Amino acid sequence: MPDGGVRAERLLLRELAHRTDDELALAIDLVTKAIDGCDGAEVRAALASVQDRLENHARLHHALQMPQFTTTVDLAAYLQQLCRSISRSSLEGEGIALSLLVQPLKIDSERCWLLGMIVFELITSAARHVSHSEAGEIRLELWGTATSISCCITDNGFSGESRFREEDRSIVETFVAHLGGMVDVCGGVDGGRTVVNVPR
């Protein structure tokens, strides 16, 4: 069982998540009312685009929330849902294609959530390197063995600098360390590749 400090932190995170959900719902409701009260076709179309973007961000935020209960979930199904939310909320608007090759893997819900947070950070970082490409591409591959889970994210972006901002790398390394795993990052003219390996 987690100690009192950890329980308090988890409670705070859930409360913040609920408040963010409420704020997003309020913003979506305001835009919906604005659409209903607007006569101009162009303005209605622009507001509808804002509404769609907000709804996709709300879905992404929900997908990234810490699980309330410990249970067994399918990691592949969760990542498919998460990546669909990431694509719709930010990648599609930038012309970035995200593809997946994942195999069904049953794991603990909290480990699944932590891997989801890692994937989100890695895709977000990759998107910064491919956003100015004519055809930006990011690929997620997931496979497992009896003892480990491997997650590989590749992109066709180029950067002579680090693949991560310092704070982003710190977040990824913290999550990976919490799972008892390792992360390997490389990048060059042919794109970037990040592999995360964690015990199953």
Side-chain angles (χ1 to χ4, degrees), residues 97-113:
L98 175 60
S99 61
L100 289 78
L101 179 61
V102 295
Q103 62 174 246
L105 289 170
K106 299 289 186 180
I107 65 169
D108 172 89
S109 56
E110 182 148 344
R111 292 178 71 79
C112 178
W113 168 67

Side-chain angles (χ1 to χ4, degrees), residues 115-184:
L115 279 166
M117 293 294 291
I118 292 168
V119 166
F120 171 71
E121 290 293 336
L122 294 178
I123 290 176
T124 301
S125 294
R128 283 196 293 271
H129 294 280
V130 303
S131 60
H132 301 295
S133 303
E134 291 186 2
E137 296 179 0
I138 300 173
R139 181 175 178 84
L140 166 64
E141 295 182 64
L142 174 78
W143 65 94
T145 67
T147 58
S148 68
I149 297 172
S150 298
C151 179
C152 176
I153 291 180
T154 55
D155 65 72
N156 65 344
F158 169 74
S159 174
E161 303 174 354
S162 171
R163 298 298 298 178
F164 292 95
R165 296 181 302 194
E166 184 175 344
E167 60 271 27
D168 296 335
R169 187 179 187 104
S170 177
I171 290 171
V172 170
E173 289 178 344
T174 297
F175 284 137
V176 172
H178 188 76
L179 290 169
M182 298 178 63
V183 58
D184 180 59

Side-chain angles (χ1 to χ4, degrees), residues 48-69:
S49 177
V50 172
Q51 180 187 40
D52 184 63
R53 190 76 175 264
L54 285 171
E55 288 174 345
N56 285 323
H57 276 290
R59 293 186 188 99
L60 174 59
H61 180 260
H62 183 74
L64 288 171
Q65 286 182 19
M66 178 185 298
Q68 272 191 290
F69 307 103

Side-chain angles (χ1 to χ4, degrees), residues 1-14:
M1 290 288 291
D3 61 32
V6 173
R7 282 198 298 270
E9 288 179 3
R10 292 173 71 90
L11 182 61
L12 177 59
L13 285 172
R14 288 199 182 101

Side-chain angles (χ1 to χ4, degrees), residues 8-104:
E9 288 179 3
R10 292 173 71 90
L11 182 61
L12 177 59
L13 285 172
R14 288 199 182 101
E15 179 60 26
L16 288 172
H18 289 318
R19 292 188 182 187
T20 302
D21 279 343
D22 290 342
E23 292 297 325
L24 284 168
L26 176 60
I28 292 168
D29 185 57
L30 289 172
V31 174
T32 302
K33 289 178 179 177
I35 293 173
D36 292 340
C38 180
D39 294 327
E42 290 186 9
V43 176
R44 286 175 64 89
L47 288 172
S49 177
V50 172
Q51 180 187 40
D52 184 63
R53 190 76 175 264
L54 285 171
E55 288 174 345
N56 285 323
H57 276 290
R59 293 186 188 99
L60 174 59
H61 180 260
H62 183 74
L64 288 171
Q65 286 182 19
M66 178 185 298
Q68 272 191 290
F69 307 103
T70 300
T71 184
T72 300
V73 297
D74 184 350
L75 175 60
Y78 171 76
L79 290 180
Q80 287 171 337
Q81 175 191 3
L82 176 62
C83 288
R84 185 162 52 246
S85 297
I86 296 172
S87 289
R88 290 176 176 173
S89 64
S90 57
L91 301 184
E92 290 178 357
E94 298 293 331
I96 300 172
L98 175 60
S99 61
L100 289 78
L101 179 61
V102 295
Q103 62 174 246

